[in-house]
Amino acid sequence: MKKLCVTVLLCMCGGWVLADAVPYSIDRTFTHTIESSINGKQYELYVRVPRSYASSDKRYPLAVLNDTGWAFPTVCGVLQLLTVKDMQEIVAVGISYSAGDAGGTSRTRDYTPTFAPDETSFHSLEAKQVSGRAVDYIAFIEKDVLPFLVSHYRLDMDNKALIGHSFGGLLGAYILLTKPSLFEHYIVGSPSLWYDDKVMFDLEREYAKKTNVMPGNVYMYVGEKENTKVHTMVDDLKNYERQLRQRQYQGLSLSVDVVPGASHHSAFPHLLTDALPKVFPLN
Amino acid sequence: MKKLCVTVLLCMCGGWVLADAVPYSIDRTFTHTIESSINGKQYELYVRVPRSYASSDKRYPLAVLNDTGWAFPTVCGVLQLLTVKDMQEIVAVGISYSAGDAGGTSRTRDYTPTFAPDETSFHSLEAKQVSGRAVDYIAFIEKDVLPFLVSHYRLDMDNKALIGHSFGGLLGAYILLTKPSLFEHYIVGSPSLWYDDKVMFDLEREYAKKTNVMPGNVYMYVGEKENTKVHTMVDDLKNYERQLRQRQYQGLSLSVDVVPGASHHSAFPHLLTDALPKVFPLN
């Protein structure tokens, strides 16, 4: 059926017929459908196991990521490159956008902390109307995704990383303010700290009033070129770093790097190649 | 059949059964089998078309790469990230290892310039016994791969890049000494200039005796950490750069960068994010 779709697609676009062309599948990956018990939406989980997985009985560290269209192929390629000379073997899992929803709608709903229908940046009006449900998405990860994964794969659940970039980075930073113990490690790229009038700075202040503990091994990155006419993402991240550091949170190990020469988009592969060997070093 | 294999594999490895798990396929990718008219071996071509491909009739620039196990997922993720904010849309094509051969054997045979059975570094004795057939592989690209691609995809054949890393970078550097006009652009990562007693330095000297023309827009990279006890890859690349520059070749535009903090393996994503926007800039 998939093959037929490919053929029809290519027949339609100017007479270029590729009768036998099947898609490229990434080695040692598996796709599962999962329903969120929180919002009833269906998602796919894309799982990549390391080379030794099939021949061992060990449990592997876990990295969870989102925005899978660009993030999952990239992380699979990077893991193929870095394992096992630069880092240990891990299982990587991408959580897709919700079925039937536009990507912009899914990620705005799931990755943003607050309802901000008037936010001037990013995505459609429709997306903004459903914004601010990260709390549901975090519960979905906790109640549905992680239990599914640990019941189907051999995982070391004491050694888990969240990888997020852009809105996904905003999500990572927000989990640290709501449920920091959900992951042991956070790899946060170019977080959208401009979101909703920089609401993250307020949310962090609220968090600091409640506790002086923030357990997390956190690596944050932003591209050098991300101070633009629209947003000052480099300055925002430095200011957020300053705000976090002044709390002297117990349990927080924080590293913040500006990636030389990188744009918002080119920063992402760098945060993988830099952080993964630090988070999952060779034994 | 593939699904069955996946299930059986997982049943075998400790009772973890994933009955419905299909592999993750990268969007807008197509697989083709092609036989080399030079050595009779079969290869697969993995093609990724950009988002606008199906709805346009334009011809796209082409990037060809090898070592597809890590390179193709990485380049697909990077293209999904960088297109179209940082660079223009292109078609990317990975050439697999030859069917039935170990990866190390295939890449040693196809990517190395000279027969070096006694080379102490890299890969198996079996691989070294077939080394030095890059000349056949380059002819395969010219006679078989590029004609196949242009007859099946809408490509701008005046705007083609070769991307190679490690032995693939050695191959890129060697094409520049044998058939530089095969591609307009060369993205060469961490080339194995140590190969066969640094034979590339000799081959370049031979080339310079014959001509003062080397057409190519060339970006070369090496990771900062690649001077090791085994090889001095940073020094080698700087020496090779010096040798190339002193020729003042007509037609050669050369850029050489040492990637800060990068290992041999982590340098690869960087060369994509750095070079692709330069080679295929926004119009």
Side-chain angles (χ1 to χ4, degrees):
Chain A
M1 183 60 196
K2 208 166 222 174
K3 195 181 287 188
L4 182 64
C5 292
V6 170
T7 308
V8 171
L9 171 74
L10 287 162
C11 286
M12 286 167 58
C13 61
W16 301 83
V17 183
L18 298 167
D20 288 321
V22 295
Y24 174 87
S25 297
I26 300 180
D27 280 355
R28 288 178 271 110
T29 58
F30 309 97
T31 300
H32 309 276
T33 301
I34 186 170
E35 183 175 302
S36 167
S37 64
I38 314 298
N39 70 5
K41 296 273 183 186
Q42 287 210 322
Y43 298 77
E44 289 193 321
L45 300 181
Y46 309 124
V47 181
R48 178 192 184 273
V49 301
R51 193 179 299 273
S52 78
Y53 189 91
S55 60
S56 90
D57 57 5
K58 70 169 279 201
R59 292 181 173 271
Y60 294 83
L62 171 67
V64 173
L65 52 140
N66 36 51
D67 282 322
T68 52
W70 41 265
F72 193 68
T74 308
V75 84
C76 287
V78 167
L79 288 174
Q80 190 77 10
L81 274 162
L82 299 188
T83 312
V84 292
K85 290 281 181 66
D86 290 6
M87 62 177 285
Q88 61 187 289
E89 293 186 306
I90 68 168
V91 169
V93 177
I95 308 173
S96 78
Y97 300 135
S98 51
D101 293 320
T105 300
S106 181
R107 70 198 298 270
T108 302
R109 182 192 62 225
D110 290 347
Y111 306 166
T112 63
T114 49
F115 181 57
D118 300 324
E119 172 59 59
T120 52
S121 290
F122 264 56
H123 297 316
S124 65
L125 282 175
E126 179 201 350
K128 289 166 191 166
Q129 287 301 324
V130 297
S131 59
R133 301 311 306 167
V135 61
D136 296 342
Y137 189 71
I138 296 165
F140 165 55
I141 293 173
E142 182 183 9
K143 312 280 189 209
D144 302 319
V145 174
L146 296 179
F148 175 90
L149 291 173
V150 77
S151 72
H152 288 76
Y153 291 88
R154 280 178 275 108
L155 299 172
D156 173 2
M157 296 304 271
D158 296 326
N159 199 6
K160 307 181 300 298
L162 180 83
I163 301 172
H165 185 67
S166 197
F167 267 16
L170 177 63
L171 172 71
Y174 184 60
I175 297 176
L176 281 165
L177 300 182
T178 50
K179 188 99 195 166
S181 61
L182 191 56
F183 295 90
E184 285 69 39
H185 316 281
Y186 291 82
I187 302 174
V188 170
S190 307
S192 311
L193 296 170
W194 48 262
Y195 181 78
D196 194 11
D197 288 333
K198 307 194 182 183
V199 70
M200 285 294 290
F201 291 84
D202 300 328
L203 295 173
E204 195 280 337
R205 265 178 225 113
E206 295 302 313
Y207 182 84
K209 286 178 189 165
K210 290 183 295 185
T211 178
N212 66 342
V213 179
M214 187 185 284
N217 180 29
V218 181
Y219 294 86
M220 292 186 169
Y221 300 84
V222 66
E224 186 183 23
K225 296 178 181 171
E226 294 197 65
N227 274 348
T228 66
K229 285 176 187 168
V230 183
H231 296 301
T232 54
M233 292 183 65
V234 180
D235 296 348
D236 290 355
L237 184 58
K238 287 181 175 171
N239 289 335
Y240 196 71
E241 175 189 14
R242 200 170 300 123
Q243 186 165 320
L244 283 174
R245 288 205 191 281
Q246 77 181 24
R247 311 292 182 207
Q248 300 186 296
Y249 283 118
Q250 289 174 32
L252 177 64
S253 167
L254 177 64
S255 161
V256 176
D257 277 325
V258 179
V259 185
S263 71
H264 184 63
H265 300 95
S266 67
F268 180 70
H270 177 87
L271 64 100
L272 298 182
T273 55
D274 192 73
L276 284 172
K278 293 172 179 168
V279 169
F280 302 115
L282 290 171
N283 293 317
Chain B
M1 184 58 195
K2 206 167 221 174
K3 194 182 286 189
L4 182 65
C5 293
V6 169
T7 309
V8 171
L9 171 73
L10 287 162
C11 285
M12 286 166 58
C13 61
W16 301 83
V17 183
L18 298 166
D20 288 321
V22 296
Y24 175 87
S25 298
I26 301 180
D27 280 354
R28 288 178 271 110
T29 58
F30 309 97
T31 299
H32 309 275
T33 301
I34 186 170
E35 183 175 302
S36 167
S37 64
I38 313 299
N39 69 6
K41 297 273 183 185
Q42 287 209 324
Y43 299 77
E44 289 194 319
L45 300 180
Y46 310 124
V47 181
R48 178 192 184 272
V49 301
R51 194 179 298 274
S52 78
Y53 189 90
S55 59
S56 90
D57 58 3
K58 69 170 279 200
R59 292 181 174 271
Y60 294 84
L62 171 67
V64 173
L65 52 140
N66 36 49
D67 282 322
T68 51
W70 40 266
F72 194 68
T74 308
V75 84
C76 287
V78 167
L79 288 174
Q80 189 77 10
L81 274 163
L82 299 189
T83 313
V84 293
K85 291 282 180 67
D86 291 6
M87 62 176 287
Q88 62 187 289
E89 292 186 307
I90 68 169
V91 170
V93 177
I95 307 174
S96 78
Y97 300 135
S98 51
D101 293 321
T105 300
S106 181
R107 71 198 299 270
T108 302
R109 182 192 62 224
D110 290 346
Y111 307 166
T112 62
T114 49
F115 181 57
D118 301 323
E119 172 58 60
T120 52
S121 291
F122 264 56
H123 298 315
S124 65
L125 282 175
E126 179 200 351
K128 289 165 192 167
Q129 287 300 326
V130 297
S131 59
R133 301 311 306 167
V135 62
D136 297 342
Y137 190 71
I138 295 165
F140 165 55
I141 293 173
E142 182 184 9
K143 312 281 188 207
D144 301 320
V145 174
L146 297 179
F148 175 89
L149 291 174
V150 77
S151 72
H152 288 76
Y153 292 89
R154 280 178 274 109
L155 300 172
D156 174 2
M157 296 304 271
D158 295 326
N159 198 6
K160 307 181 299 299
L162 180 83
I163 302 172
H165 184 66
S166 196
F167 267 16
L170 177 63
L171 172 71
Y174 184 59
I175 298 177
L176 281 165
L177 300 183
T178 50
K179 189 101 195 165
S181 61
L182 192 54
F183 295 91
E184 285 69 39
H185 317 281
Y186 292 83
I187 302 175
V188 171
S190 307
S192 311
L193 296 170
W194 48 262
Y195 182 76
D196 194 10
D197 289 332
K198 306 193 183 184
V199 70
M200 285 294 290
F201 292 82
D202 300 328
L203 296 173
E204 195 280 338
R205 264 178 226 112
E206 295 303 312
Y207 182 85
K209 286 178 189 164
K210 291 182 293 183
T211 178
N212 66 342
V213 179
M214 187 185 286
N217 179 30
V218 181
Y219 294 86
M220 291 185 169
Y221 300 84
V222 65
E224 186 183 23
K225 297 177 179 171
E226 294 197 65
N227 274 348
T228 67
K229 287 176 186 167
V230 183
H231 297 301
T232 54
M233 292 183 64
V234 180
D235 296 348
D236 290 354
L237 184 57
K238 286 180 176 172
N239 289 335
Y240 197 70
E241 175 189 13
R242 200 171 299 124
Q243 186 165 319
L244 284 174
R245 289 204 190 281
Q246 76 181 26
R247 311 293 183 206
Q248 301 186 296
Y249 283 118
Q250 289 175 32
L252 178 64
S253 166
L254 177 64
S255 161
V256 176
D257 277 324
V258 179
V259 185
S263 71
H264 183 63
H265 300 94
S266 67
F268 180 70
H270 178 86
L271 66 100
L272 298 181
T273 54
D274 192 71
L276 284 172
K278 293 172 179 167
V279 169
F280 302 115
L282 290 172
N283 292 318

